[in-house]
Amino acid sequence: MEPVTEPITEPATEPVTPSVGWGVTHLYLRVHPSRSHDPGQTGKELAAALDQFEAAADHQVLCSSVLGLKADLGVMALGPDLGRHEALARTLGAMPPLEPVYSFFSMTEVSEYVETLDDVRARLDAQGVAEGVEERLARAAERLAKMREDRLHPRLPRTTLLAFYPMSKAREPGANWYRLPFEERRELMGGHGKVGRRYSGRVLQLVTGATGLDDHEWGVTLLADDLAAIKAIVYEMRFDEVTASYGRFGSFWVGLTCSPAEVPERVGLLS
């Protein structure tokens, strides 16, 4: 008899959480139903493990059936408790029908290049604005606080498609991002951001940081309902100076999203 996979166990110690931001785990797995004596039972255990990760406050899991033959199942897990991230990966990796083929771990973050309240104040001074300054600054502070919250503690919507790819900035002779002065990097990233904002409402982007945590420096997750929009935003950004000169990419993964309850049917783990 095939052993029953143990469910995710609650950590015996206090949760291990980052001081800023949440952990983000991307897992890609092949599914071999023939390796299970009872695919239906395995499917239930898989759905239960995914549900259990989400059972804790501020934890979310997004699943997808992968297009192409790189993998069958994609799992993106977000949340503050690193112990839950470790337990989910271990639980899925121990299920006989599941074969891990790729993983990426990162953290939610706020880019160092985003506008600050001091930047807003300096811009108003440069424009010679004398009236209503405090009111404008208050509105800006509210906007910036919301942006920070959305990036550090995102609540991701359910869309039809989820795409993911890791990337780094070049560190090569003649194309070393880290040799550029901060203000030049900031200006370049400002132009890069304008391209992304043109897809507002069509593609939601979440960029997470992995410097020192994984082989690439960032992970990029794209959520959309139109595959053409994902293709278009990536293609258009190829012509941006930041990407054209300094972008270095890993593999690209894209899949059709589904709820944990729908995963067994999508990957062939039914009775």
Side-chain angles (χ1 to χ4, degrees):
M1 292 291 291
E2 178 184 290
V4 175
T5 304
E6 292 295 327
I8 297 177
T9 56
E10 296 295 332
T13 59
E14 290 295 316
V16 179
T17 60
S19 59
V20 179
W22 288 347
V24 182
T25 299
H26 284 84
L27 303 173
Y28 287 92
L29 310 105
R30 293 193 186 279
V31 182
H32 305 278
S34 62
R35 293 182 182 178
S36 174
H37 293 295
D38 188 346
Q41 178 61 31
T42 301
K44 292 177 182 177
E45 293 169 3
L46 172 57
L50 297 169
D51 282 335
Q52 190 169 350
F53 182 88
E54 285 195 302
D58 293 330
H59 289 71
Q60 184 178 2
V61 63
L62 285 76
C63 306
S64 60
S65 52
V66 179
L67 295 169
L69 298 176
K70 290 180 182 177
D72 299 305
L73 172 63
V75 175
M76 177 184 182
L78 306 88
D81 187 350
L82 302 184
R84 299 189 77 85
H85 285 267
E86 187 273 336
L88 177 65
R90 175 166 41 82
T91 298
L92 269 55
M95 291 184 175
L98 303 187
E99 175 192 357
V101 294
Y102 184 75
S103 69
F104 190 83
F105 182 77
S106 56
M107 292 176 59
T108 58
E109 67 175 15
V110 177
S111 170
E112 62 184 314
Y113 307 113
V114 299
E115 187 178 52
T116 67
L117 200 58
D118 285 340
D119 294 329
V120 177
R121 184 178 287 106
R123 186 174 69 249
L124 293 176
D125 287 342
Q127 294 171 348
V129 177
E131 297 183 1
V133 171
E134 292 307 316
E135 182 180 349
R136 293 193 185 196
L137 288 175
R139 289 199 301 268
E142 184 177 346
R143 172 177 57 82
L144 294 173
K146 183 180 184 305
M147 179 274 295
R148 178 180 175 83
E149 177 65 16
D150 289 345
R151 297 191 183 186
L152 289 179
H153 310 122
R155 268 68 177 182
L156 299 181
R158 171 76 181 271
T159 58
T160 304
L161 298 152
L162 185 155
F164 170 76
Y165 60 90
M167 66 165 294
S168 296
K169 291 294 199 306
R171 298 189 305 277
E172 303 162 5
N176 191 331
W177 177 257
Y178 297 96
R179 286 288 193 180
L180 299 179
F182 175 80
E183 288 304 325
E184 184 176 350
R185 284 184 279 123
R186 189 178 194 182
E187 182 177 356
L188 288 170
M189 288 301 295
H192 189 69
K194 288 179 182 178
V195 177
R197 286 192 291 275
R198 288 203 287 270
Y199 288 82
S200 177
R202 299 175 61 198
V203 181
L204 188 152
Q205 305 173 69
L206 178 66
V207 180
T208 52
T211 303
L213 306 179
D214 215 305
D215 295 337
H216 285 80
E217 296 169 333
W218 290 275
V220 181
T221 301
L222 304 176
L223 299 171
D225 291 318
D226 181 6
L227 189 62
I230 292 176
K231 180 176 179 291
I233 189 174
V234 174
Y235 178 73
E236 187 172 349
M237 283 189 168
R238 293 291 170 97
F239 294 93
D240 178 79
E241 180 65 20
V242 171
T243 301
S245 295
Y246 302 102
R248 301 295 183 266
F249 301 91
S251 295
F252 285 70
W253 310 79
V254 62
L256 304 174
T257 60
C258 57
S259 68
E262 295 171 315
V263 166
E265 180 178 3
R266 287 283 188 92
V267 299
L269 290 175
L270 293 177
S271 301

